[in-house]
Amino acid sequence: MREATAADYHWLKQHDLRAGFCLTYVQGVDEHETLRHFGANPKTLRPMTLSEAIEIDFEHGGGECVVALTRRFDNWTVAVEPNGWAGTTLGVLLPLSTGTTAISVQANINGDRSFNLAENGELLTSFDPLFPERRGGIQPGTLVPLMNEVGIIRSSDGEHRYIPLAEASLALADRISNTQVTAAALEGTLLGGILGPH
Protein backbone atom coordinates (compact mmCIF):
# COMPACT_ATOMS: atom_id res chain seq x y z
CA MET A 1 0.00 0.00 0.00
CA ARG A 2 1.31 3.44 -0.98
CA GLU A 3 2.23 5.73 1.93
CA ALA A 4 1.86 9.37 0.94
CA THR A 5 4.52 11.92 1.82
CA ALA A 6 4.79 15.69 1.45
CA ALA A 7 6.88 15.06 -1.69
CA ASP A 8 3.77 13.65 -3.40
CA TYR A 9 2.27 17.14 -3.17
CA HIS A 10 5.26 19.12 -4.39
CA TRP A 11 3.12 20.11 -7.41
CA LEU A 12 1.27 22.56 -5.15
CA LYS A 13 4.23 24.98 -5.26
CA GLN A 14 3.62 25.73 -8.96
CA HIS A 15 -0.17 25.29 -8.98
CA ASP A 16 -3.03 27.80 -9.15
CA LEU A 17 -3.98 26.74 -5.61
CA ARG A 18 -0.63 27.79 -4.13
CA ALA A 19 -2.03 31.15 -2.90
CA GLY A 20 -4.74 29.44 -0.89
CA PHE A 21 -7.05 26.45 -0.84
CA CYS A 22 -9.32 24.28 1.21
CA LEU A 23 -9.66 20.62 0.23
CA THR A 24 -12.43 18.69 1.95
CA TYR A 25 -12.57 14.90 1.61
CA VAL A 26 -15.78 13.00 2.39
CA GLN A 27 -16.32 9.26 2.17
CA GLY A 28 -19.35 7.78 0.44
CA VAL A 29 -21.03 11.08 -0.46
CA ASP A 30 -21.43 12.10 -4.10
CA GLU A 31 -20.55 15.43 -5.67
CA HIS A 32 -24.08 16.88 -5.65
CA GLU A 33 -24.67 16.04 -2.00
CA THR A 34 -21.26 17.43 -1.06
CA LEU A 35 -22.03 20.73 -2.79
CA ARG A 36 -25.41 20.84 -1.05
CA HIS A 37 -23.65 20.63 2.32
CA PHE A 38 -21.41 23.51 1.24
CA GLY A 39 -24.48 25.63 0.59
CA ALA A 40 -24.04 25.78 -3.18
CA ASN A 41 -27.01 27.23 -5.00
CA PRO A 42 -28.47 24.28 -6.99
CA LYS A 43 -29.20 26.58 -9.95
CA THR A 44 -25.49 27.34 -10.29
CA LEU A 45 -24.23 23.75 -10.43
CA ARG A 46 -22.33 23.09 -13.65
CA PRO A 47 -19.06 21.69 -14.95
CA MET A 48 -16.30 24.29 -14.66
CA THR A 49 -12.55 24.42 -14.62
CA LEU A 50 -10.41 25.54 -11.72
CA SER A 51 -9.41 28.63 -13.72
CA GLU A 52 -13.09 29.53 -14.17
CA ALA A 53 -13.71 29.05 -10.45
CA ILE A 54 -10.78 31.33 -9.58
CA GLU A 55 -12.06 33.96 -12.02
CA ILE A 56 -15.57 33.84 -10.54
CA ASP A 57 -14.07 34.09 -7.07
CA PHE A 58 -11.98 37.11 -8.12
CA GLU A 59 -14.92 38.88 -9.80
CA HIS A 60 -17.58 38.22 -7.18
CA GLY A 61 -15.89 37.09 -4.00
CA GLY A 62 -14.18 40.23 -2.85
CA GLY A 63 -11.31 38.08 -1.61
CA GLU A 64 -13.64 35.43 -0.20
CA CYS A 65 -14.21 32.10 -1.86
CA VAL A 66 -17.60 31.82 -3.51
CA VAL A 67 -17.05 28.64 -5.53
CA ALA A 68 -16.51 24.99 -4.65
CA LEU A 69 -15.55 22.31 -7.17
CA THR A 70 -15.86 18.57 -6.61
CA ARG A 71 -14.17 15.47 -7.93
CA ARG A 72 -14.91 11.83 -7.18
CA PHE A 73 -12.05 9.47 -6.28
CA ASP A 74 -13.42 5.93 -5.89
CA ASN A 75 -15.44 6.09 -2.64
CA TRP A 76 -14.34 9.60 -1.67
CA THR A 77 -15.37 13.00 -2.99
CA VAL A 78 -12.99 15.93 -2.69
CA ALA A 79 -14.33 19.49 -2.63
CA VAL A 80 -11.86 22.11 -3.80
CA GLU A 81 -12.23 25.74 -2.72
CA PRO A 82 -9.71 28.12 -4.28
CA ASN A 83 -8.64 30.48 -1.49
CA GLY A 84 -11.52 29.17 0.61
CA TRP A 85 -12.26 27.79 4.04
CA ALA A 86 -15.95 26.74 4.16
CA GLY A 87 -14.87 23.11 4.61
CA THR A 88 -13.14 24.00 7.87
CA THR A 89 -16.30 25.41 9.46
CA LEU A 90 -18.17 23.13 11.83
CA GLY A 91 -21.44 24.09 10.12
CA VAL A 92 -20.22 22.37 6.96
CA LEU A 93 -17.80 19.73 8.21
CA LEU A 94 -19.87 18.11 10.97
CA PRO A 95 -23.10 17.61 8.98
CA LEU A 96 -21.00 16.41 6.03
CA SER A 97 -19.45 13.75 8.28
CA THR A 98 -22.77 12.38 9.57
CA GLY A 99 -22.65 8.61 9.11
CA THR A 100 -19.21 8.84 7.54
CA THR A 101 -15.79 10.54 7.71
CA ALA A 102 -14.80 14.00 6.50
CA ILE A 103 -11.39 15.68 6.46
CA SER A 104 -10.52 19.29 5.63
CA VAL A 105 -7.12 20.79 4.88
CA GLN A 106 -6.79 24.56 4.52
CA ALA A 107 -3.85 26.89 3.91
CA ASN A 108 -3.22 30.32 2.41
CA ILE A 109 -0.44 32.84 1.82
CA ASN A 110 -1.50 34.80 4.92
CA GLY A 111 -0.29 31.91 7.07
CA ASP A 112 -3.75 30.63 7.98
CA ARG A 113 -3.91 26.87 8.00
CA SER A 114 -5.86 24.06 9.63
CA PHE A 115 -6.41 20.32 9.56
CA ASN A 116 -9.72 18.83 10.71
CA LEU A 117 -11.01 15.28 11.00
CA ALA A 118 -14.68 14.61 11.73
CA GLU A 119 -16.61 11.38 11.99
CA ASN A 120 -20.32 10.80 12.37
CA GLY A 121 -21.06 14.43 13.16
CA GLU A 122 -18.29 14.87 15.73
CA LEU A 123 -14.95 16.63 15.49
CA LEU A 124 -12.29 14.04 16.35
CA THR A 125 -9.26 16.28 16.04
CA SER A 126 -8.37 19.73 14.77
CA PHE A 127 -5.06 21.59 14.70
CA ASP A 128 -2.89 24.19 13.02
CA PRO A 129 -0.05 22.23 11.39
CA LEU A 130 2.42 24.90 12.56
CA PHE A 131 1.44 24.18 16.17
CA PRO A 132 0.54 20.47 16.07
CA GLU A 133 0.79 20.10 19.83
CA ARG A 134 -2.27 22.34 20.22
CA ARG A 135 -5.05 19.98 19.22
CA GLY A 136 -8.79 20.11 19.82
CA GLY A 137 -11.62 17.65 19.31
CA ILE A 138 -12.89 14.68 21.27
CA GLN A 139 -9.91 12.48 20.27
CA PRO A 140 -7.09 15.03 19.90
CA GLY A 141 -4.31 12.44 19.81
CA THR A 142 -5.86 10.07 17.30
CA LEU A 143 -3.61 11.13 14.39
CA VAL A 144 -0.33 11.62 16.28
CA PRO A 145 1.43 8.54 14.81
CA LEU A 146 0.53 9.59 11.25
CA MET A 147 1.41 13.23 12.00
CA ASN A 148 4.86 12.01 13.03
CA GLU A 149 5.23 9.92 9.88
CA VAL A 150 4.40 12.75 7.46
CA GLY A 151 6.55 15.27 9.35
CA ILE A 152 3.89 17.56 10.82
CA ILE A 153 5.23 16.71 14.26
CA ARG A 154 8.97 17.33 14.13
CA SER A 155 11.39 14.59 15.02
CA SER A 156 12.81 14.79 18.54
CA ASP A 157 16.13 13.25 17.45
CA GLY A 158 17.65 16.67 16.80
CA GLU A 159 17.36 16.41 13.02
CA HIS A 160 15.16 19.27 11.86
CA ARG A 161 14.71 19.05 8.12
CA TYR A 162 12.26 21.37 6.41
CA ILE A 163 8.83 19.87 5.73
CA PRO A 164 6.33 22.05 3.82
CA LEU A 165 3.26 21.99 6.06
CA ALA A 166 0.56 22.39 3.40
CA GLU A 167 2.01 19.46 1.47
CA ALA A 168 2.45 17.38 4.64
CA SER A 169 -1.16 18.09 5.60
CA LEU A 170 -2.37 16.87 2.21
CA ALA A 171 -0.22 13.77 2.66
CA LEU A 172 -1.91 13.18 6.02
CA ALA A 173 -5.37 13.48 4.44
CA ASP A 174 -4.18 11.13 1.69
CA ARG A 175 -3.09 8.51 4.23
CA ILE A 176 -6.42 8.65 6.07
CA SER A 177 -8.55 8.49 2.92
CA ASN A 178 -6.16 6.62 0.62
CA THR A 179 -7.00 9.36 -1.88
CA GLN A 180 -4.17 11.01 -3.79
CA VAL A 181 -5.10 14.37 -5.25
CA THR A 182 -2.77 15.23 -8.13
CA ALA A 183 -2.43 18.30 -10.32
CA ALA A 184 -3.72 16.19 -13.22
CA ALA A 185 -6.83 15.25 -11.23
CA LEU A 186 -7.73 18.93 -10.98
CA GLU A 187 -7.44 19.57 -14.71
CA GLY A 188 -10.43 19.74 -17.03
CA THR A 189 -13.97 20.33 -15.83
CA LEU A 190 -15.22 19.47 -12.37
CA LEU A 191 -18.75 19.81 -11.00
CA GLY A 192 -18.88 23.15 -9.23
CA GLY A 193 -21.31 25.56 -7.72
CA ILE A 194 -21.51 29.07 -6.34
CA LEU A 195 -21.84 29.10 -2.57
CA GLY A 196 -24.67 30.98 -0.94
CA PRO A 197 -27.59 32.86 -2.51
CA HIS A 198 -25.74 34.21 -5.58
Side-chain angles (χ1 to χ4, degrees):
M1 182 175 173
R2 184 184 61 84
E3 293 190 341
T5 68
D8 292 316
Y9 291 89
H10 186 69
W11 57 264
L12 186 62
K13 294 259 185 244
Q14 305 298 323
H15 197 267
D16 288 343
L17 293 177
R18 67 187 176 278
F21 67 88
C22 180
L23 266 58
T24 304
Y25 305 62
V26 59
Q27 186 175 26
V29 178
D30 70 20
E31 298 96 316
H32 285 86
E33 184 67 8
T34 298
L35 288 168
R36 186 185 71 77
H37 278 286
F38 272 79
N41 184 330
K43 294 178 182 176
T44 69
L45 299 189
R46 65 177 178 86
M48 64 178 84
T49 65
L50 182 60
S51 295
E52 287 178 273
I54 291 171
E55 186 175 328
I56 292 168
D57 176 46
F58 180 76
E59 290 178 359
H60 304 288
E64 297 184 7
C65 178
V66 295
V67 179
L69 303 173
T70 53
R71 188 184 191 294
R72 187 79 172 184
F73 293 84
D74 294 325
N75 194 37
W76 288 77
T77 295
V78 177
V80 181
E81 300 171 76
N83 202 34
W85 62 86
T88 69
T89 64
L90 298 184
V92 171
L93 189 66
L94 298 188
L96 191 59
S97 76
T98 300
T100 189
T101 300
I103 307 157
S104 68
V105 179
Q106 181 266 335
N108 65 33
I109 57 173
N110 298 324
D112 301 319
R113 74 210 130 245
S114 69
F115 187 99
N116 307 279
L117 172 64
E119 192 171 277
N120 201 26
E122 294 186 303
L123 186 65
L124 298 188
T125 189
S126 177
F127 57 88
D128 177 338
L130 187 61
F131 304 104
E133 69 282 357
R134 303 177 192 167
R135 299 182 296 273
I138 61 171
Q139 295 179 23
T142 192
L143 295 179
V144 167
L146 287 178
M147 291 165 70
N148 275 299
E149 289 179 18
V150 299
I152 291 174
I153 295 178
R154 308 307 191 275
S155 170
S156 59
D157 62 8
E159 182 183 337
H160 296 288
R161 59 189 180 92
Y162 172 72
I163 300 285
L165 292 177
E167 289 88 333
S169 297
L170 291 171
L172 180 59
D174 183 329
R175 287 195 183 201
I176 297 165
S177 64
N178 197 30
T179 299
Q180 183 179 19
V181 178
T182 63
L186 301 180
E187 292 175 358
T189 57
L190 307 174
L191 181 65
I194 297 177
L195 308 185
H198 296 279

